[in-house]
Amino acid sequence: MTSDCVVMYTTVPDTLLAKRIAHLLVEEHLAACVNLSPVGLSIYLWEESVEGTEEITLTIKTSSQASLRCQERIVQLHPYDVPEIIILPVIGGHVPYLDWVRAQTSV
């Protein structure tokens, strides 16, 4: 079973911003649901230096149709020059839940 839903991931530097982005994405019907993870440590190479930053991961459930607008909104709200935004296809799941995701993001 395939679906036209996707899961998006992004990271942000603090809880207040994570809550703001999550709230706006849901309020603007760009996401059906956003889960905020506990603070975790991200290790990465940036401008030839290994960095370690505490970040919160947002797991965003949305439709393929709304994903581009959702991504654009995240970029508008995000403080990083190059925010992490990864979109993964949903290849299946509980059909009533996937129907709900599509309905919430088709307004």
Side-chain angles (χ1 to χ4, degrees):
M1 173 174 76
T2 61
S3 94
D4 58 351
C5 294
V6 298
V7 173
M8 300 177 71
Y9 290 98
T10 191
T11 56
V12 296
D14 63 73
T15 302
L16 187 60
L17 180 59
K19 289 179 180 180
R20 179 171 184 255
I21 290 173
H23 183 86
L24 289 171
L25 293 179
V26 171
E27 183 179 82
E28 295 172 9
H29 298 280
L30 298 174
C33 178
V34 181
N35 300 108
L36 283 61
S37 72
V39 175
L41 182 63
S42 294
I43 306 293
Y44 53 92
L45 191 64
W46 182 251
E47 296 179 351
E48 300 189 35
S49 178
V50 175
E51 303 284 337
T53 305
E54 288 190 340
E55 296 180 303
I56 296 166
T57 299
L58 281 69
T59 304
I60 303 156
K61 278 74 68 151
T62 189
S63 63
S64 298
Q65 179 182 0
S67 64
L68 180 58
R69 292 188 332 267
C70 187
Q71 178 176 308
E72 290 169 349
R73 189 67 168 124
I74 292 167
V75 170
Q76 289 173 350
L77 298 166
H78 212 288
Y80 296 168
D81 292 336
V82 182
E84 171 189 359
I85 301 172
I86 297 173
I87 303 172
L88 302 171
V90 173
I91 61 169
H94 186 56
V95 173
Y97 180 81
L98 299 175
D99 289 344
W100 175 78
V101 169
R102 282 189 291 276
Q104 294 304 308
T105 58
S106 67
V107 176

